Amino acid sequence: MNVKIDPSWKEHIGAEFGKPYFEQLTSFVRHEYATQTCYPPGSLIFNAYNLCPFDKVKVVIIGQDPYHEPGQAHGLSFSVADGVALPPSLQNIFKEIQADLGKPIPASGDLTRWAKQGVLLLNATLTVRAHQAASHQRHGWESFTDATIHALSEGREHLVFILWGGYARSKASLIDAKKHLILQSVHPSPLSANRGGWFGNHHFSQCNAYLQQWGEAPIEW
């Protein structure tokens, strides 16, 4: 696994690459990609980091692991490549944006435009085996992405961390709530969202209000 990651991240979490867990993770991922169909494509494993350098991050949205069906995953949590049908969770995200901010639901589920505005779309696990959700969990990725969250919490101020669902909400302990805004709700997947607590959470307007309060441009959701 040839780590090609924006230099700003190497400055803040570069020590992770030399740790034993990351060497083991690298061996595991290389073997998986050599012997199995895995997602996202190898060149896009660190897409979230490369589209959103450390000093440009304004918002962090934490997902669990990549989509595991062909053509979906491209290295950004909740996002799918252009031309791919919108997954149910992303449909519900767009519905809440529409209700919260009055914006029409876009045809494309490619969230690269968010990333380029400073939204780090971070999956806790960055790779997955085809058709097998969570197949690359507990092999080391979580240590790396936890280090990412901690570095942002310590090294930056006035970020918005958006935590949807129990797994993402478990990351709140890594974040200094005195320096940052933490927004939490149920997951946007239909199973969770339809039980209540997703629709009407107003996370997108709350996020933008906080950014503007601290002199940052709001996100064009």
Side-chain angles (χ1 to χ4, degrees):
M1 189 167 63
N2 186 13
V3 179
K4 292 183 178 176
I5 191 168
D6 186 87
S8 66
W9 289 103
K10 288 188 176 178
E11 181 181 340
H12 293 276
I13 56 171
E16 301 300 310
F17 298 126
K19 292 181 179 179
Y21 87 82
F22 199 86
E23 294 176 11
Q24 294 167 9
L25 171 64
T26 298
S27 297
F28 168 76
V29 171
R30 278 184 175 147
H31 182 264
E32 283 285 292
Y33 273 72
T35 60
Q36 307 288 333
T37 299
C38 296
Y39 303 119
S43 62
L44 296 178
I45 291 173
F46 293 101
N47 196 23
Y49 294 84
N50 290 326
L51 287 172
C52 195
F54 182 90
D55 296 320
K56 301 295 185 184
V57 175
K58 298 198 288 190
V59 182
V60 183
I61 299 180
I62 299 174
Q64 195 155 354
D65 68 340
Y67 296 119
H68 50 80
E69 296 302 326
Q72 291 182 308
H74 64 136
L76 305 176
S77 64
F78 295 101
S79 179
V80 289
D82 199 22
V84 176
L86 301 182
S89 292
L90 188 54
Q91 290 181 38
N92 283 340
I93 289 169
F94 286 157
K95 286 177 184 176
E96 175 57 22
I97 292 171
Q98 184 181 46
D100 190 16
L101 299 173
K103 293 185 175 294
I105 294 175
S108 172
D110 186 346
L111 303 182
T112 298
R113 59 192 177 84
W114 291 5
K116 289 181 175 179
Q117 294 178 74
V119 182
L120 181 67
L121 294 160
L122 181 67
N123 278 317
T125 302
L126 298 186
T127 57
V128 70
R129 190 185 287 192
H131 317 303
Q132 297 183 40
S135 49
H136 286 187
Q137 289 183 8
R138 295 179 290 281
H139 286 279
W141 277 130
E142 295 89 343
S143 296
F144 181 76
T145 53
D146 280 0
T148 300
I149 296 165
H150 184 260
L152 285 166
S153 177
E154 291 296 305
R156 297 288 309 282
E157 290 185 338
H158 312 312
L159 302 183
V160 182
F161 289 85
I162 298 180
L163 312 179
W164 295 328
Y167 185 85
R169 293 167 86 168
S170 72
K171 305 297 182 181
S173 61
L174 300 169
I175 304 161
D176 185 346
K178 296 188 183 76
K179 293 170 61 181
H180 307 285
L181 176 63
I182 303 174
L183 298 174
Q184 304 186 50
S185 80
V186 301
H187 197 275
S189 68
L191 187 64
S192 299
N194 293 337
R195 291 178 184 156
W198 167 257
F199 295 109
N201 67 27
H202 299 293
H203 279 183
F204 304 97
S205 58
Q206 288 184 63
C207 172
N208 279 351
Y210 181 84
L211 292 175
Q212 289 177 293
Q213 176 187 336
W214 293 103
E216 292 285 354
I219 303 299
E220 275 292 329
W221 298 109

